[in-house]
Amino acid sequence: MAGFADLNVPQGPDKKGLQSLLEAAARLGYSAVALNHVIDFKEKKQEIAKPVSPSELFPSLPIVQGTSKQLKVLTRLTLVVSDPSHCNLLRSTSSNIRLYDIIAVFPKTEKLFHIACTTLDVDIVCINVTEKLPFYFRRPPVNMAIDRGIYFELLYTPAIKDSTMRRYTISNAISLMQICKGKNIVISSAAERPLELRGPYDVANLGLLFGLSESEAKAAVSTNCRATILHGETRKSACGVVYTVKKLRKVEEEETVPACKKAKTQA
């Protein structure tokens, strides 16, 4: 079985607090976490900076409980999109966005959810768990996302904090399960304090409340997380290949077009 992972640990300005979160995650048995940098275009125009290397943030990483390995720390970027124009950034191949290990998108409308599932080059689509969904999940975009290797993320921390959010979390999760049948689900924390973190087996038990089977709930904190990370690695390498191919094609066109014109002139 793949190691456990939490793909959503908010990257705040407090390094000491972040270190405590990582230590708690390692102590609970997580082998990998992703530091999540969130950009919400609705708040104000924000520049996307290059991700900060974990080695620059932390002098040393904690050892995972029951192993001799250090906790693996990944970088993640989440874009909160409320307008189709916000998606243009995700279509750029030269942006700093491509330097992140994981790219997630949090669509606020049904149209943007459809775009995220069917066309955007992302690894995760975030599901709102703090309020009632403004739209219904539809099978075609969800199935398209599954076919493309994209995963849907559910957060459990809001359900722990507040009874109203707990109802929304369970309701929205079950609505999604009715369409995706438990496939391609990851469960993350978005914990801001160590006390908000739960062990992977406790999280898997929460997954049962979300409508997942026992095996699907375990996969949501292990194998599905690993698949998401691999999807990110493939996306990053593919971007480089596409960019190189485009450059080569451009050079070839510049070399061949004059020759064609010359042939026409001679004819």
Side-chain angles (χ1 to χ4, degrees):
M1 187 178 180
F4 297 111
D6 185 345
L7 299 185
N8 192 337
V9 174
Q11 185 174 351
D14 181 11
K15 288 185 182 180
K16 193 173 181 181
L18 203 52
Q19 180 77 36
S20 299
L21 269 170
L22 297 187
E23 289 170 358
R27 193 164 55 248
L28 287 168
Y30 290 99
S31 59
V33 299
L35 299 182
N36 188 21
H37 180 54
V38 180
I39 296 285
D40 190 344
F41 290 107
K42 194 175 181 180
E43 292 178 0
K44 58 181 180 178
K45 189 175 180 181
Q46 300 182 59
E47 292 294 326
I48 295 178
K50 289 182 180 180
V52 180
S53 170
S55 59
E56 294 178 31
L57 287 173
F58 312 107
S60 62
L61 294 171
I63 302 298
V64 179
Q65 181 75 25
T67 73
S68 58
K69 295 181 179 180
Q70 283 189 330
L71 180 71
K72 184 176 182 179
V73 180
L74 304 160
T75 59
R76 166 177 164 173
L77 177 68
T78 300
L79 298 177
V80 182
V81 293
S82 51
D83 187 89
S85 63
H86 298 158
C87 299
N88 293 336
L89 191 63
L90 285 163
R91 298 187 176 101
S92 168
T93 55
S94 59
S95 170
N96 287 337
I97 194 172
R98 301 296 173 189
L99 300 174
Y100 286 84
D101 296 313
I102 297 171
I103 297 176
V105 63
F106 191 158
K108 289 292 191 175
T109 66
E110 183 176 7
K111 182 180 180 180
L112 290 168
F113 180 80
H114 188 279
I115 291 171
C117 290
T118 57
T119 63
L120 294 184
D121 193 10
V122 297
D123 310 307
I124 290 174
V125 174
C126 307
I127 305 300
N128 195 342
V129 295
T130 59
E131 58 188 16
K132 187 177 180 180
L133 282 172
F135 58 89
Y136 293 104
F137 294 114
R138 300 188 185 278
R139 203 173 300 278
V142 170
N143 287 345
M144 177 73 82
I146 292 170
D147 290 342
R148 296 175 66 221
I150 295 172
Y151 285 75
F152 299 99
E153 180 185 61
L154 295 166
L155 303 179
Y156 67 80
T157 300
I160 295 171
K161 285 181 177 180
D162 184 88
S163 59
T164 303
M165 288 187 189
R166 187 180 307 126
R167 288 198 299 272
Y168 288 137
T169 301
I170 294 171
S171 174
N172 295 353
I174 290 173
S175 296
L176 177 62
M177 297 314 148
Q178 290 172 345
I179 302 299
C180 74
K181 307 300 182 185
K183 295 178 182 177
N184 288 42
I185 299 293
V186 295
I187 303 177
S188 308
S189 70
E192 296 175 343
R193 298 178 300 161
L195 286 174
E196 293 172 355
L197 279 173
R198 295 293 182 271
Y201 291 103
D202 290 334
V203 177
N205 286 333
L206 283 172
L208 301 179
L209 294 176
F210 297 165
L212 293 167
S213 68
E214 188 175 341
S215 60
E216 289 165 350
K218 286 181 180 177
V221 288
S222 57
T223 51
N224 288 0
C225 296
R226 175 61 181 159
T228 303
I229 295 167
L230 289 173
H231 188 272
E233 290 175 1
T234 305
R235 170 186 47 74
K236 286 172 75 176
S237 60
C239 285
V241 170
V242 169
Y243 181 66
T244 305
V245 168
K246 282 182 178 177
K247 283 189 75 176
L248 285 171
R249 282 178 180 168
K250 191 175 180 182
V251 170
E252 287 171 0
E253 285 170 4
E254 287 174 353
E255 290 177 349
T256 56
V257 168
C260 294
K261 286 181 178 178
K262 187 178 179 182
K264 285 180 181 179
T265 306
Q266 288 175 348

